[in-house]
């Protein structure tokens, strides 16, 4: 029975990932600042309290447990750190990266997985899906932080010839319990009013939490050689329409009035380059009016060879 170390294990993503691993009969070493009740008491589940930068605690974990795989979910907006990323959060991530990957490689782990973000990509003017090798242009603090994490990871990975290493670039996630990213797509960040253009016939590339958890499980089970090492876009197979978001939140949560407005109203603001003010750079959920109608998609064909991506806003749980 393989043992998986999961960082950020008690966040909204980490809980689901740990639960899926336990159902597939893995031993799980769950690391986070504070525990949650989601997996407490389950067989083969061990919680260890540690912050991402706690080098001594992680060294102790690697010494006391025979770990086979690492799933690094800590230092992520949708999981355990919240949507605002300042220099403080970026520093925490950098301190964690300095030692965690090296520990994993020095202990000859079989598989190492890192959670990153699609925000590092340059958004193209075309409607072509963004592929893993396409141009990158991180603008927000979160995107810059994750881009730096990827570079550090890639440099350290060069030292191993046996570990199968995966970078998962994931858009904002959602589930029945995680609606903040959905509501941000229909909320004006300036006055906090809910709005929709026309009838909401435009969409956003998002990722159901359960699709991400499924991909991690599939990778751990199926990626049996270093040929699988690389970057993977992990997202829903189709766009989530603005109209679907409104219906979903009304049926499963609370939603106030939604104003119907014309995109021409925001055409002036859309001319300005995204990332021009503090809120845009530090707020992970800040809505970019310059690309709201782009219907940008990410090519998930590479990841789909391992995982079916069966979840979407209509069947999420």
């Amino acid at each position: 029975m393989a043992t998986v170390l999961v960082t950020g294990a008690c966040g909204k993503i980490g809980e689901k990932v740990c639960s899926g691993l336990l159902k597939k009969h893995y031993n799980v070493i769950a690391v986070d600042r504070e525990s949650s009740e989601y997996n407490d008491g389950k067989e083969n589940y061990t919680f260890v309290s540690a912050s991402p930068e706690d080098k001594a605690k992680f060294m102790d974990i690697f010494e006391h447990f025979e770990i086979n795989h690492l799933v690094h979910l800590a230092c992520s907006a949708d999981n355990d750190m919240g949507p605002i990323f300042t220099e403080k959060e970026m520093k925490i991530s950098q301190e964690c990266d300095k030692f965690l990957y090296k520990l994993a490689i020095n202990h000859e782990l079989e598989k190492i997985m890192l959670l990153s973000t699609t925000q590092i990509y340059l958004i193209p003017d075309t409607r072509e899906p963004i592929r893993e090798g396409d141009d990158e242009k991180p603008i927000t603090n979160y995107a810059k932080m994750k881009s730096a994490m990827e570079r550090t990871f890639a440099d350290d990975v060069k030292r191993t010839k046996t570990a199968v290493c995966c970078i998962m670039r994931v858009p904002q996630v959602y589930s029945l319990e995680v609606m903040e990213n959905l509501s941000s797509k229909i909320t004006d960040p300036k006055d906090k009013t809910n709005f929709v253009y026309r009838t909401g016939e435009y969409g956003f590339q998002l990722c159901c939490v359960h699709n991400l958890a499924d991909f991690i499980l599939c990778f751990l089970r199926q990626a049996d050689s270093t040929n699988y090492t690389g970057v993977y876009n992990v997202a829903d197979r189709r766009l989530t329409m603005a109209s679907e978001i409104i219906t979903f939140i009304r049926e499963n949560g609370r939603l106030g009035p939604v104003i119907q407005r014309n995109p021409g109203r925001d055409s002036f603001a859309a001319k300005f380059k995204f990332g021009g003010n503090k809120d845009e750079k530090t707020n992970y959920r800040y809505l970019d009016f310059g690309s709201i109608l782009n219907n940008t998609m990410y090519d998930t064909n590479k990841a789909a060879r391992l995982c079916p991506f069966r979840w979407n806003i209509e069947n999420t749980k």
Side-chain angles (χ1 to χ4, degrees), residues 102-273:
K102 291 180 175 62
L103 277 174
I105 292 168
N106 290 340
H107 283 78
E108 299 182 340
L109 268 59
E110 298 170 24
K111 296 184 177 73
I112 308 171
M113 304 185 73
L114 167 66
L115 181 64
S116 187
T117 177
T118 54
Q119 286 190 4
I120 71 170
Y121 287 116
L122 171 66
I123 301 299
D125 295 329
T126 67
R127 294 294 180 89
E128 285 291 315
I130 298 175
R131 296 172 177 83
E132 287 84 353
D134 284 356
D135 292 340
E136 300 173 19
K137 189 178 180 180
I139 294 175
T140 66
N141 282 359
Y142 186 68
K144 290 177 181 178
M145 183 193 76
K146 286 297 185 180
S147 181
M149 289 179 73
E150 287 192 15
R151 291 195 300 272
T152 301
F153 186 55
D155 288 342
D156 287 339
V157 162
K158 295 175 183 177
R159 298 170 46 230
T160 177
K161 298 185 183 300
T162 57
V164 184
C165 302
C166 170
I167 293 173
M168 302 171 286
R169 290 179 180 164
V170 182
Q172 293 173 330
V173 303
Y174 67 89
S175 70
L176 281 177
E177 300 174 355
V178 184
M179 296 191 193
E180 294 86 353
N181 291 327
L182 295 174
S183 60
S184 70
K185 302 303 182 187
I186 57 169
T187 303
D188 190 318
K190 293 184 177 64
D191 58 20
K192 308 305 178 185
T193 57
N194 300 320
F195 75 97
V196 64
Y197 290 140
R198 298 183 293 269
T199 58
E201 70 282 12
Y202 55 92
F204 306 93
Q205 184 78 82
L206 299 165
C207 182
C208 179
V209 169
H210 305 293
N211 278 332
L212 175 55
D214 282 355
F215 176 78
I216 292 171
L217 289 168
C218 289
F219 191 90
L220 292 178
R221 296 176 67 189
Q222 300 179 44
D224 54 6
S225 75
T226 54
N227 291 331
Y228 288 93
T229 291
V231 178
Y232 292 80
N233 289 336
V234 178
D236 293 357
R237 281 187 168 274
R238 65 175 181 83
L239 295 176
T240 300
M241 297 293 110
S243 56
E244 291 181 297
I245 292 174
I246 292 170
T247 300
F248 181 82
I249 297 177
R250 280 177 173 163
E251 292 178 349
N252 299 286
R254 298 181 62 183
L255 182 66
V258 179
I259 300 171
Q260 186 181 51
R261 71 191 200 195
N262 191 301
R265 156 186 169 146
D266 302 306
S267 60
F268 181 75
K271 292 179 181 179
F272 291 92
K273 184 177 180 182

Side-chain angles (χ1 to χ4, degrees), residues 7 51-56 58-59 62 70 72 74-75 87-106 114 145 148-157 159:
T7 68
S51 61
E53 66 272 35
D54 195 341
K55 181 177 179 180
F58 276 97
M59 291 178 67
F62 275 88
L70 167 65
H72 184 30
C75 306
E87 294 293 329
K88 176 183 177 181
E89 283 72 30
M90 296 173 77
K91 183 178 179 181
I92 289 173
S93 172
Q94 291 169 359
E95 291 178 359
C96 179
D97 299 337
K98 288 179 181 178
F99 64 86
L100 184 58
Y101 307 144
K102 291 180 175 62
L103 277 174
I105 292 168
N106 290 340
L114 167 66
M145 183 193 76
M149 289 179 73
E150 287 192 15
R151 291 195 300 272
T152 301
F153 186 55
D155 288 342
D156 287 339
V157 162
R159 298 170 46 230

